[in-house]
Every structure is written in structure tokens, then in C-alpha cells.
Amino acid sequence: MKLAVLQVAYGDDEPMDERVERVAALVREQRGHDLVVLPELWAPGGFAYREWVDRAQPVDGAIGTAMSAAARDAGVMLHAGSIVERPADGETGPEGRGLWNTSLVYGPDGSLVATYRKIHRFGFGAGEPKLMDAGEDVVLVDLPGGEGRAGLSTCYDLRFPELYRRQLDAGATAFLVPAAWPAARVRHWTLLAHARAIEDQCVVIACNTAGTHARTEMGGHSQVISASGEALAMAGTSEEVLSVEVDMDAVTTWREQFPVLRDRRL
Ligand SMILES: NC(=O)CCC(=O)C(=O)O
């Protein structure tokens, strides 16, 4: 599977609609890849809490429409990262926020094949828990070409191993993790992604944000980790495209060579 991980960098000065146009063009440049992945909240700003309400939109709003067209034009499966979702029908969640951190996944024909609402909200009272509802559903998607199944999660979700075990039990052989993970804790980002790969014997495709916005320096270091815990690709701290061939058959081979998951007792 030919994979492109688009580590997008942005600051505070770029208007959102210009960033959407810039990123859509970057996606179109990935023709020839099977799967393309973008970071969490790359359009509204991962830590731009004050902008979220104004930048919220339905999944078929301007961001989703642009991403659908870019996926179709490039002929790629696109995990378009996430948006601040305000459902068109006015849906609200258990806490009545009416906003979610929602990932969008498109097929190579531009069709919306999956959405995932981030289950674990980051902010300890500020940010997501204050402004957004929590997702409740565990979601997997089929990888291109029958190469396996990927669980969907977002950033802070990475700290909760039980979500990935649920995805493993649902048949996951890979985890897709868009993020807006700050530089201050980038060691956690790197170690946790390796841990999820090793403990669940799954490929981890983790796309982080770069640049500094809302006075938060982002950590970059997007990474592709094999099911045996090897770093297949690792980005630096600036805007970068990781283009990497991932052998998904190696997941089965590793699980046969080192059948640790058969020793589960709980
Ligand atoms: N956007 C996020 O979920 C940030 C998570 C984070 O900074 C952390 O877990 O540390």
C-alpha cells in the first residue's frame, strides 16, 4: 500500500479558506498513492479554541466538499483529518454541545466512506470537553485494495489503549491517527504510537501538525510504525510529506512469528 502522510504546518495568519485550498492542492499532488492522511483539525486549527464555533460546519460543508473533490481528482483514499462538525440537522450529544471533532474518510471516487467522532476529548475542562460532545462509536474502514482494516482514532485517543484493543478485536490491522499534538509532549506521541503498534501488532499511521498557532508549538514527528514496532517513516518538525510503501502482509507474518495476542487471557 502506497501511503502519503501530509504533515501540514500553519500559523495564525492564514485564512481558513486559503488553507483549505492549499491543502486540497497538496492532496491532488498525491496521485499514485493508495491512501493519503491529513492531521486533526488542520483547517479550523487544532488549538484555535476561540475560532471553533465560527469555523464549525457540517460534514458536507466547504471543507468536506473540497476534500471529496481532491480525493476524487487524485484517485486516492483520503483520511481528510478532522473538522469541527456542526450537524446540519442540529443534532446535539449527551452534553448538548452540538459540536464534535469529526474525522472524514473519502474513497477514490470522492464518496464519504466513514466518519469518526473523537471519543476522548482533550483539554481537562477547557477546549474540547467544554465546547464539544464526545464520540461514542468505534469505527473501522477497509484499506484500499483489500489490504486490511484500519481503526479510526484522533490524537488524545492515543493515550487510551482500550480503544485500540477494541479496534483490534473488530479486525483492525492498522490504526489511522490524525493529530494536533504539541511539541511539549512529542516524546509521549512517539512512544505511545510505538506502544499501540507493538501491543496490538498493527501498523500505526500517525499524522501530526507542524507550525505554531494559538501560541502552541506543534510537535510534528508524524510517523508510520510497523506492526513489529519499527519506524518505517518519521517526519521532522516542519511541513512535510511522508511517502512510504507499507507491506500490510507483514502484519500477518509478524503475528504468526510472534503470536503474543494468542496469550491474551482477559
Ligand atoms: N489534540 C489533542 O488531542 C492533543 C492531545 C495532547 O496534547 C496529549 O495527549 O498530550
Side-chain angles (χ1 to χ4, degrees):
M1 178 177 68
K2 190 167 184 187
L3 167 69
V5 175
L6 309 188
Q7 179 169 285
V8 176
Y10 56 87
D12 296 314
D13 298 336
E14 184 180 35
M16 188 174 82
D17 57 352
E18 291 182 16
R19 179 148 66 246
V20 172
E21 200 172 309
R22 171 168 71 92
V23 170
L26 186 60
V27 170
R28 288 186 171 90
E29 290 174 13
Q30 308 315 316
R31 172 169 288 279
H33 289 87
D34 299 302
L35 172 62
V36 177
V37 185
L38 283 164
E40 175 189 26
L41 295 178
W42 57 269
F47 278 78
Y49 299 161
R50 294 193 183 125
E51 309 295 338
W52 283 356
V53 172
D54 289 343
R55 294 179 174 179
Q57 49 189 263
V59 296
D60 60 354
I63 300 168
T65 300
M67 291 298 102
S68 168
R72 185 197 62 231
D73 294 349
V76 300
M77 178 177 180
L78 173 63
H79 186 311
S82 66
I83 65 169
V84 179
E85 178 199 4
R86 176 187 286 117
D89 64 3
E91 176 195 358
T92 59
E95 296 174 61
R97 307 281 196 270
L99 300 180
W100 283 268
N101 184 336
T102 301
S103 288
L104 307 175
V105 181
Y106 297 92
D109 62 354
S111 62
L112 182 63
V113 296
T115 60
Y116 163 71
R117 287 171 168 174
K118 186 177 181 181
I119 293 173
H120 301 92
R121 296 165 294 172
F122 180 75
F124 309 121
E128 291 181 270
K130 184 175 178 184
L131 295 172
M132 294 182 177
D133 283 300
E136 298 174 336
D137 299 324
V138 176
V139 178
L140 281 75
V141 294
D142 292 329
L143 289 171
E147 293 264 19
R149 302 194 74 209
L152 302 185
S153 60
T154 308
C155 206
Y156 190 49
D157 282 332
L158 198 61
R159 291 183 181 275
F160 301 88
E162 59 273 19
L163 170 59
Y164 300 83
R165 198 48 54 106
R166 288 272 298 274
Q167 294 179 348
L168 172 72
D169 291 342
T173 50
F175 301 136
L176 299 181
V177 192
W181 198 290
R185 296 179 296 280
V186 75
R187 179 163 167 73
H188 295 186
W189 160 256
T190 305
L191 289 174
L192 287 166
H194 281 75
R196 298 293 90 83
I198 292 166
E199 66 192 3
D200 292 317
Q201 298 189 315
C202 283
V203 173
V204 171
I205 300 166
C207 181
N208 197 14
T209 305
T212 297
H213 73 279
R215 299 196 306 276
T216 308
E217 181 189 359
M218 305 315 295
H221 291 88
S222 297
Q223 51 198 322
V224 182
I225 314 299
S226 75
S228 59
E230 302 303 315
L232 302 177
M234 178 72 76
T237 57
S238 53
E239 180 148 308
E240 184 173 348
V241 174
L242 293 180
S243 179
V244 54
E245 189 71 44
V246 179
D247 174 13
M248 290 301 298
D249 291 339
V251 175
T252 303
T253 303
W254 175 241
R255 289 180 178 178
E256 289 167 355
Q257 287 174 348
F258 196 80
V260 61
L261 294 171
R262 292 186 203 154
D263 286 341
R264 288 171 64 184
R265 298 173 57 80
L266 297 178

